[in-house]
Amino acid sequence: MSKKQLIDYVQNFVSLNDDEAEQLATAFNEVKIKKRQFIVQPNFTNQHRSFVIKGAFRSYAITDNGQEHTLQFAIENWWVSDFNSYIYQYPATLFIVALEDSILLQIEYEKEQELKKSNHKFETFFRIMAEKGLAFEHRRILFDLTHDAETRYENFLLNYPNFVQRVPQYALASYLGMSTEFLSRLRNKKTRKKS
Amino acid sequence: MSKKQLIDYVQNFVSLNDDEAEQLATAFNEVKIKKRQFIVQPNFTNQHRSFVIKGAFRSYAITDNGQEHTLQFAIENWWVSDFNSYIYQYPATLFIVALEDSILLQIEYEKEQELKKSNHKFETFFRIMAEKGLAFEHRRILFDLTHDAETRYENFLLNYPNFVQRVPQYALASYLGMSTEFLSRLRNKKTRKKS
DNA sequence: CAATTAAAATGAAGTAGGTCAAGAAAGGAT
DNA sequence: ATCCTTTCTTGACCTACTTCATTTTAATTG
């Protein structure tokens, strides 16, 4: 059952007894999402925090001139949301779309607040998630500031080899802060070198 | 007294009774830092979380070719640390330096863990800090991905007008992801337009 | 307050990466 | 299978921004 997967994940950070595991499990709802389906859209408040059981997602913004810019990817055992929309409960600016047929476990904002209030352990868990997320983004910002396009791509390959096959190239390019044409050239340069 | 300033800050997010406020106050130590003094350096583990009572700080990395890249600024009522070093307690990669004569309140890593364990409210407080930090960095990444150098500078001016006078220009340029010369040109273009 | 050092400004030349346009390849739908 | 749409590739040209070198200005320190 998919809830087992979430509980196992949470147990990596805080140890839950049977009652607590049950409490956690019932707070989340399983939903199936078809490829190309949106779970968050601009102007609608992001109501849920979502844990990916199976599948892949992408969060991105669209600028006035129509360009897409990817903020995040998520596959199995990652969380996705428009975080600004979710924690402040105001309208989203991001799109979040399924890149494959997917399964999510979702918790509602109010339900999450109850959970955290009811038990110190859940508060600790979400604190750790936020801290790890923040540390991750610090590493990302610093890496992006200090490396050129080619190095950023190679670093992504190295750290997330399993993402690369599941994510469209134009989306990866926009995540790494370069044009899709430029990433195409980088790739071909590389494969040509190899052979 | 400077601890009052911290307690007031914390009260914005969780409400503390007198005992709790006292507990918080005694967990922190006040330290004076001279301009140009480092509070964090690469290879040394970042032992403290620091709250700025007075003054200004800058965290940055230096690349192999000697270039500096600024990750963060902090003035009164902001927190500073090499967050990756602090939360994982491994060696820092960043420098953190005082830009002015400053006063900090610092808590040691272990002391912070005790505080969080001892009282749900402190856990909640640090959870909120991390979430706000993460939401902030999401906004930053997205803005940087979607705007050119001039717009990034103008946005900084707009959002942090009080930082601009206190931060050297080369540091701001490296925070905004451009060369110091280019920022200089942007500025002069602007002031010339005004007059 | 003079001397020294660090930061900011400016010009000239170079480049990493972008944009535009058109074709090739790959996925989905029927 | 075939048609239609989306994604990827490639070439030619362009520009936002960098780098280097030098001068000017501002900030520190004795």
Side-chain angles (χ1 to χ4, degrees):
Chain A
M1 213 270 201
S2 72
K3 302 231 170 139
K4 171 90 165 49
Q5 188 177 328
L6 173 63
I7 291 164
D8 285 351
Y9 178 85
V10 174
Q11 298 269 20
N12 290 326
F13 303 101
V14 293
S15 59
L16 303 177
N17 63 36
D18 291 352
D19 278 0
E20 290 161 343
E22 173 67 17
Q23 201 190 343
L24 182 76
T26 57
F28 281 81
N29 295 314
E30 183 177 309
V31 294
K32 289 192 206 305
I33 311 287
K34 282 271 176 204
K35 183 167 178 174
R36 271 169 244 271
Q37 190 181 330
F38 288 88
I39 61 168
V40 173
Q41 271 181 290
N43 304 320
F44 296 86
T45 298
N46 185 163
Q47 309 272 12
H48 305 93
R49 192 192 283 256
S50 301
F51 181 77
V52 182
I53 293 295
K54 192 172 170 311
F57 290 83
R58 164 180 175 239
S59 76
Y60 64 98
I62 299 190
T63 55
D64 300 334
N65 60 124
Q67 278 187 301
E68 296 184 1
H69 295 270
T70 300
L71 182 59
Q72 211 205 327
F73 296 115
I75 59 173
E76 290 77 18
N77 286 17
W78 287 62
W79 297 87
V80 241
S81 61
D82 178 334
F83 200 69
N84 272 282
S85 172
Y86 183 69
I87 74 159
Y88 295 119
Q89 286 289 290
Y90 60 43
T93 59
L94 299 176
F95 295 88
I96 305 183
V97 70
L99 298 171
E100 308 169 358
D101 290 352
S102 303
I103 300 171
L104 289 177
L105 284 180
Q106 294 190 314
I107 185 169
E108 278 185 31
Y109 180 79
E110 281 305 334
K111 190 78 200 166
E112 180 187 317
Q113 308 315 307
E114 283 171 29
L115 215 55
K116 286 184 295 205
K117 209 183 286 179
S118 76
N119 188 331
H120 194 138
K121 281 185 196 171
F122 295 125
E123 187 78 79
T124 302
F125 173 73
F126 287 110
R127 189 259 303 163
I128 292 171
M129 289 301 101
E131 287 186 347
K132 283 170 61 82
L134 177 54
F136 178 94
E137 299 303 6
H138 274 186
R139 294 196 301 277
R140 176 179 180 188
I141 291 169
L142 204 59
F143 198 89
D144 287 356
L145 279 176
T146 51
H147 297 85
D148 64 10
E150 182 164 14
T151 314
R152 296 200 301 274
Y153 171 58
E154 278 168 3
N155 183 252
F156 189 90
L157 278 189
L158 203 70
N159 284 309
Y160 310 102
N162 46 332
F163 276 69
V164 181
Q165 3 292 334
R166 299 172 71 179
V167 152
Q169 197 162 128
Y170 68 87
L172 178 53
S174 78
Y175 176 85
L176 294 172
M178 66 187 83
S179 69
T180 178
E181 294 94 330
F182 194 72
L183 179 52
S184 171
R185 281 178 242 264
L186 285 180
R187 276 197 159 167
N188 289 5
K189 193 173 73 174
K190 232 196 150 187
T191 51
R192 228 177 270 130
K193 231 188 293 178
K194 262 194 205 157
S195 57
Chain B
M1 216 272 203
S2 73
K3 303 231 170 140
K4 171 89 165 51
Q5 189 177 328
L6 173 62
I7 291 164
D8 284 352
Y9 177 84
V10 174
Q11 298 269 21
N12 290 325
F13 304 101
V14 293
S15 59
L16 304 177
N17 63 36
D18 290 353
D19 278 359
E20 290 161 343
E22 173 65 18
Q23 202 190 342
L24 181 77
T26 58
F28 282 80
N29 295 314
E30 182 177 310
V31 294
K32 288 191 208 305
I33 311 285
K34 282 270 174 204
K35 183 167 177 173
R36 272 171 243 271
Q37 190 181 331
F38 289 90
I39 61 168
V40 173
Q41 271 181 290
N43 304 318
F44 296 86
T45 298
N46 186 164
Q47 309 273 12
H48 305 91
R49 192 191 282 257
S50 301
F51 181 76
V52 182
I53 294 294
K54 192 172 169 311
F57 290 83
R58 164 181 174 239
S59 76
Y60 64 97
I62 299 190
T63 55
D64 301 336
N65 59 124
Q67 277 187 299
E68 296 184 2
H69 294 271
T70 300
L71 181 60
Q72 211 204 328
F73 296 115
I75 59 173
E76 289 77 19
N77 286 19
W78 287 62
W79 297 87
V80 243
S81 61
D82 178 334
F83 200 69
N84 273 280
S85 172
Y86 183 69
I87 74 159
Y88 295 120
Q89 286 288 289
Y90 60 43
T93 59
L94 300 176
F95 296 87
I96 304 183
V97 69
L99 298 172
E100 307 171 357
D101 290 352
S102 302
I103 300 171
L104 289 177
L105 284 180
Q106 295 191 313
I107 185 170
E108 278 186 31
Y109 180 79
E110 281 306 333
K111 190 77 201 168
E112 180 186 318
Q113 308 314 308
E114 283 171 31
L115 214 56
K116 285 185 294 206
K117 209 183 289 179
S118 77
N119 188 330
H120 195 139
K121 279 186 197 171
F122 295 125
E123 188 77 79
T124 302
F125 173 72
F126 286 110
R127 190 259 303 163
I128 293 171
M129 288 302 100
E131 287 187 345
K132 282 171 62 81
L134 178 53
F136 178 93
E137 299 303 6
H138 274 186
R139 293 196 302 275
R140 176 180 178 186
I141 291 169
L142 204 59
F143 198 90
D144 287 356
L145 280 175
T146 50
H147 297 85
D148 65 9
E150 181 163 14
T151 315
R152 295 200 301 276
Y153 171 58
E154 277 168 5
N155 182 252
F156 189 91
L157 277 190
L158 202 69
N159 284 309
Y160 310 103
N162 46 333
F163 276 69
V164 181
Q165 5 291 335
R166 299 172 69 178
V167 152
Q169 196 162 125
Y170 68 88
L172 179 54
S174 79
Y175 176 87
L176 293 173
M178 68 186 83
S179 69
T180 178
E181 294 94 330
F182 194 71
L183 179 53
S184 169
R185 281 177 242 265
L186 286 180
R187 277 197 160 166
N188 288 6
K189 192 173 75 177
K190 230 195 152 187
T191 50
R192 225 176 270 130
K193 229 188 292 177
K194 262 193 207 160
S195 58

